[in-house]
Amino acid sequence: MISEQLKKSLQQRVETAITPREAAVDVMKELQRHYGWLTDEAVGEAGELLGLSPLQVEELATFYEKIYRRPVTGKLIQVCDSISCWSGCCDGIIEHLKKRLDVELGGSSADGKFTLVPCCCLGRCGDAPVMVIGETFYGNLTPEKVDQILEKER
Amino acid sequence: MEQVLFRHNRPDRSVTFEEYCAEGGFDALKKALTAMTPDEVQQTVIDSGLRGRGGAGFPTGKKWSFVPRNLPGPRWLICNGDEMEPGTYKDRVLLEKNPFSLIEGVTLASYALGVRHAFIFLRRDYETAAANLQAGIDAAKKAGLLGERILGTEFSCDIDLHLSAGRYICGEETALINALEGKRPNPRQKPPFPAVKGLWGGPTVVNNVETLANVPAIIANGAAWFKGLARNPEGAGTKLFCVSGSVVNPVCIELPIGTPLREIIDQACGGLKPGKKFKACIPGGASTQFLSEAHLDVPMDFDPVVKVGSRLGSGAIIVFDEGHCLVEATLNLIKFFARESCGWCTPCREGLQFVKEILERIERGGGEERDLDLLRDHTRFLSYAFCAFAPGAMSPLDGLLANFEDEVREHITRKRCPLKG
Amino acid sequence: MPKLIIDDIEVEVPAGTSVLEAARSVGITIPHFCYHPALAIAAACRLCAVKMLDGPVKGIQMSCALPAQDGMVVSTTDPDALKMRKLVIEWLMINHPHDCPVCDEGGECLLQDFTIAGGHGIRRYQGKKRTHVNQYLGEGIYHEMNRCIQCYRCVRFYQEYAGGTDFGVTGCAGRVYFGRFDDGPLESPFSGNLVDICPTGVFTDKTGRFRARYWDYQYAPSICPHCSAGCNLSPQAYHREVIKIVARRNDEVNGWFICDRARFDKSDLNDPLRPRQALVDGSPVEWEAALNALATRLREFVQSHGADSLALVGSTRLSLEAGILLAELAARYKGVRLCYFIDPAEAQLSLSKVEWVPAGMAASQAELREADFIAILPCDLMEESPMIALAIRQAFVKGAKVYLVAPHLTALNLERLPFQVQVVPELADVPLGEAKRGIVVAGAGFADLKGLEAVPTGVKFVLLQPGPNSFGAALLAREYRAVPLREAIASGKVKGILALETDLPEELRQGLTFFAAADWRNNGAAEPASVFLPTSAWAETGGTWINYEGRAQRYRQAYKTGLPLRGLPARYYGSQEAEPPAHPPRVHRAVAPGGDTRSAWMLVAELIFKLTGEPAAEPYAGKWAPLKHIDPEGPGMRLPAELLAG
């Protein structure tokens, strides 16, 4: 369930859009911010706000990389696996993260603090390899640095 | 060296609205609205030789001129800030340092095109840039430089910021239009081209962030001045180069277009990391062909880079050293493209999966001689995909086979990656 | 009219024709998956590659998305084009399962055809195949997502053409998935068309899976019996059982599609309780014996009670041929009551609708699809005639204004319509004067024809009728001065009825001294009848029906009737054991078990011969002669004005 306040602000967003669909991505992102991921309930709510069927919301939600239709527990760690980070050995960083958190990509750590996903180029290639935890970027990663960051973010 | 896009940059923060204005910001808009017709603005941009900075390098003014003049109904301008090409981060740096050149550029372009409502489409992960831009838009609006009756003239224009949810294909202009409309961002069949039938069926121009950010300086200083900024005779203006990979100092830097590749790597970036030797680079982002050491003197402008078998693309230079396996590098790129394909057409959706399988096998040591022909078939026939995505995805492979075939063969004959023990 | 050369053949086509369609017009089929004439161009599968040798564009091009232009020289057999097509097939076969032997689409699969035709055989891709989880899509359609080749035909049909919102495409890249949000029956009443439109076996007809192969079927062009729209379809039978019903293209009528009722409702035809045995006084007899008994009893009845005590009753589902012959039989007995309708109001309404619409002013489904103003008078279209609603949707998508005239309306009816309507209280509120191609649509129950008088000239009409041949029955009733049965009975004279393929309300049989019936439907007529003759159902015989617009359409026999082989009782195996042995029947017989039936028209013709000793006249003579040669595979025939005129 979303609050009346959030519902109202989303309704407002839809009303000011040129067509309701234009607001679809914004509505999905706001609901995702609320729930942590786009739950089935959120899909239904988005549909009601936008005048779309749940399937029509699903068509959009599942297209985008950063709309999550599977549970995200705790903070989301996105670690870049694209070419610049690859050249800076992101593979090692990813393996290190998997080991430290004891998860596979897409999984959540046992303590519920982190969910680890790979992502494509984050546009911070000068700082490769990079990851983002929540909304915070971390660059020039080394295994040691990753340990410190996890400690801080935990 | 003259800076156009980075002229107002502060080392550690974004330029403020007041600072931008004090340094001549919005003078171009004032000049255009008071002393120039929309056609004159467009003509100046045509004369300046400005070419699209998103990757394709299409002449900007010419693109504008495709919009039919007397079509009824609204027309649209979209600034494409869906910077998701691996290796590319120039627009982010530009917007984090200065949102105003873009805002002024969008307004100028809207004036030239008769657009009442423009969109800036930013990728999901550029939250800082987005916040910066929104603050800039609000400030400009408050100062009467945006919104109703700008500077007291008949011209009104609003800019809406739209943040995507992440997909590389959204950067393709027709996919972007679908994304903005809230449809699945599959590219659209062309023709009709967006200039005739785009956003909500209206004439639409889609320009890159860097492209539009160049417009104020062109209007302020004239076409001849802009042309004169280039290093090479056929070039025009400056270019943002964003470098990553095995260099000492991976920077995003503004240099005259046509600056030789070697100069960018050696001087601007301080050369290769200590102990590393240059092997190859991608000159313009993930969808351009690898260049080898033999190409380092190429002037970094659209046509010269094409002449050596690659593309200037977005100006994102990714440098690889002798320790990098280029088969694996290509595989990484192909994996990216296979994952980001929109899934609309067969060659892209399935062909990339096939290429990925072959490269994985070669890298593992399971490659066969016939795989080279199979890969070549893909570089050739993926060009008949629905949009430019799959041909772009084939560029690194094309460059690999053109310039580093020996390395691929070595994988096949030695039945392992020569760079792995 | 662009002129181009395709494989050395000069072709001239209307502007806007694609190269693929231009090639097709001269008999060259360019392989394709995503292209479908009824759907918007997707250019997604990239199979229809051709090489442009000369003209305004050069090189490999997709022929579905390329409009034909003057000076084009096209090769469909160029090695580059062939290689591209071969690669496309190879790409699709990377993931498509090699399960043709256990796939219900096998043998009628476009992917199978083009894979074999293109010569793809050796798998060079060494990775694994992609797999998906299937969904439950209801009792009509089975979902097998692994077979998908992502041509997007299904979603383009379901959402764009049919206006459904509960089925679509999710995911991206290699993960695109065509299905629903979650398991559940498809909501669209046109969902069954996914079976026809899918070029491979993702959607198969659950009601007829794994029963037979395409080449096993007996089938023929036929017409839907469920409403007066006259949609074209083809029943596919195997061993005397209708396994599937598929849509049959008729551009003037239903286009490429049919509704789910037409496709999935085979219960009448396959009803195990269908009367298949001729009966005299409830006892099984040979067909011929029953006919003799009928003739004798009819003669006796007329002798003892007079011809005016006898009613010969047809119906709105009886073929036009049988109806004409029934009138001929009636003519032999002066004073006999001839009936094609039971209810006087229905008879009156059907005829007034036939007569009310001026010649040429009845709108076909094709005209509906092209209309610009449509006014719908109160009716539940989705219940009554869904295909009419689908035709209206096509006009709506192209920008037509659609109005629903409804003083009182439940919200439910609106929600089910696959288009948006503006609700107005009166027909006069619809600005039909602005229409260039205006059409007024009314359901079968609509009776206020006077209210239509204000409709401006030039506006056409869709006045639906209750039965597949109500229009024909009304013409017959007028021509032969028939009376509705209730009216005949009300006169108090009627003491005997011969009911021919008529669903007679039980109370009308009360107090009769003679009742005989002939039918194929299990409607309870066989038991009370002193003589009962089983007839062949519409799909088992030929005939003609006239749809709401006055379009006569011929249907042909799709299969020979009889008890389905599956579940055939033990006695037909020459064995008295309860369980039939597991081999085909060994008793030799001239007709299939339960197959001793006649078409209704043949029954009447034989009866005439028995009673008079003269052969029955050719039904398509005199006034009806123009209807003699209707091509069952053509668009049908709009009745000429002299047939419509009273």
Side-chain angles (χ1 to χ4, degrees), chain C residues 2-21:
Chain C
K3 259 191 212 156
L4 63 165
I5 296 169
I6 306 177
D7 291 347
D8 301 326
I9 303 170
E10 268 201 43
V11 192
E12 192 171 356
V13 287
T17 309
S18 69
V19 170
L20 185 145
E21 286 159 341

Side-chain angles (χ1 to χ4, degrees), chain A residues 48-67:
Chain A
E48 265 173 44
L49 285 159
L50 297 161
L52 300 175
S53 71
L55 179 270
Q56 287 171 319
V57 175
E58 184 84 336
E59 288 187 309
L60 297 173
T62 54
F63 193 95
Y64 289 105
E65 186 189 6
K66 293 185 180 174
I67 302 285

Side-chain angles (χ1 to χ4, degrees), chain B residues 188-363:
Chain B
R188 293 179 180 178
Q189 175 78 26
K190 291 190 266 191
F193 288 91
V196 179
K197 199 172 173 213
L199 194 61
W200 292 298
T204 305
V205 168
V206 184
N207 286 141
N208 172 257
V209 169
E210 185 187 343
T211 312
L212 288 170
N214 267 306
V215 174
I218 292 170
I219 299 305
N221 303 309
W225 166 84
F226 189 73
K227 273 199 153 144
L229 294 171
R231 270 278 282 273
N232 54 331
E234 69 271 34
T238 61
K239 177 80 192 81
L240 297 183
F241 295 102
C242 48
V243 189
S244 59
S246 300
V247 291
V248 171
N249 189 19
V251 289
C252 177
I253 189 170
E254 180 175 11
L255 292 170
I257 208 162
T259 304
L261 181 54
R262 190 188 297 278
E263 215 175 292
I264 300 172
I265 294 172
D266 286 352
Q267 293 175 19
C269 303
L272 271 279
K273 282 182 183 163
K276 304 283 184 191
K277 189 170 173 300
F278 180 90
K279 181 179 190 179
C281 81
I282 284 175
S287 59
T288 59
Q289 285 84 350
F290 287 103
L291 293 180
S292 72
E293 186 143 25
H295 304 118
L296 279 177
D297 291 313
V298 64
M300 289 293 278
D301 187 13
F302 295 100
D303 299 335
V305 184
V306 168
K307 273 191 203 125
V308 297
S310 190
R311 291 187 308 115
L312 180 67
S314 59
I317 302 165
I318 310 162
V319 179
F320 303 95
D321 62 56
E322 289 288 356
H324 286 126
C325 167
L326 292 186
V327 173
E328 205 187 337
T330 310
L331 175 60
N332 176 280
L333 290 161
I334 295 294
K335 276 183 182 167
F336 165 83
F337 286 114
R339 198 166 68 188
E340 291 297 310
S341 163
C342 80
W344 182 255
C345 76
T346 312
C348 184
R349 188 185 58 246
E350 314 294 351
L352 289 173
Q353 188 188 342
F354 203 164
V355 171
K356 187 178 118 186
E357 187 268 331
I358 299 167
L359 288 175
E360 265 168 356
R361 202 151 35 75
I362 294 175
E363 178 64 15

Side-chain angles (χ1 to χ4, degrees), chain C residues 614-629:
Chain C
E614 293 164 32
E618 151 76 46
Y620 289 120
K623 184 166 186 167
W624 306 107
L627 297 182
K628 185 162 177 154
H629 301 289

Side-chain angles (χ1 to χ4, degrees), chain C residues 316 340-341 347 350-352 354 465 469-479:
Chain C
T316 60
Y340 294 101
F341 290 90
S350 275
L351 183 61
S352 13
V354 167
Q465 298 265 6
N469 195 38
S470 289
F471 198 106
L475 288 184
L476 290 169
R478 182 180 66 186
E479 176 71 15

